Amino acid sequence: QVQLVESGGGLVQPGGSLRLACVASRSSFRLSAMGWYRQAPGNQRELVAGIYSGGRTDYTDSVKGRFTVSRNSAKNTVYLEMNNLKPEDTAVYYCNTIPDVREYWGQGTQVTVSS
């Protein structure tokens, strides 16, 4: 069974930073386009950052310049470095392939930005 396990969330003040990690249970994910998604209460889940073959990255406008996605293929891990966090970044963060696969959704990791 394929698993994607997210970690690194927490409570942080506005302007703070967090680094999320997503570990894949299968090495074949290193060939996949991977994304970080988030879902805030009452909102639909949205793709906020993606990393594609060759290392190309893409971000939704609201996080450009603040978030950085990267991967360590040797560790089957994808990271999301989040800086200058804002209260509107509060959400549960998930990783999945791009496009997403229903069976790959994990529990996510909660990020709360509050003073």
Side-chain angles (χ1 to χ4, degrees):
Q1 183 179 357
V2 174
Q3 280 189 311
L4 296 171
V5 180
E6 303 92 347
S7 64
L11 173 63
V12 63
Q13 292 185 342
S17 299
L18 284 173
R19 188 193 195 205
L20 307 184
C22 167
V23 180
S25 62
R26 223 168 51 185
S27 61
S28 58
F29 276 97
R30 69 181 65 180
L31 302 178
S32 301
M34 296 296 297
W36 281 98
Y37 301 75
R38 69 184 179 188
Q39 187 168 22
N43 290 356
Q44 288 189 330
R45 188 149 41 193
E46 62 170 340
L47 175 65
V48 296
I51 185 163
Y52 304 88
S53 61
R56 182 178 67 85
T57 58
D58 195 15
Y59 304 90
T60 193
D61 286 346
S62 62
V63 308
K64 282 182 180 177
R66 301 188 298 121
F67 289 13
T68 302
V69 59
S70 61
R71 72 197 306 168
N72 183 328
S73 296
K75 295 184 177 181
N76 297 335
T77 303
V78 179
Y79 302 97
L80 185 67
E81 185 79 33
M82 305 186 296
N83 298 311
N84 190 22
L85 282 160
K86 303 176 180 181
E88 51 264 43
D89 295 317
T90 295
V92 179
Y93 284 71
Y94 304 85
C95 65
N96 204 319
T97 54
I98 298 173
D100 64 272
V101 174
R102 185 178 64 180
E103 290 78 11
Y104 294 167
W105 291 114
Q107 296 299 310
T109 185
Q110 174 71 47
V111 172
T112 303
V113 185
S114 175
S115 55

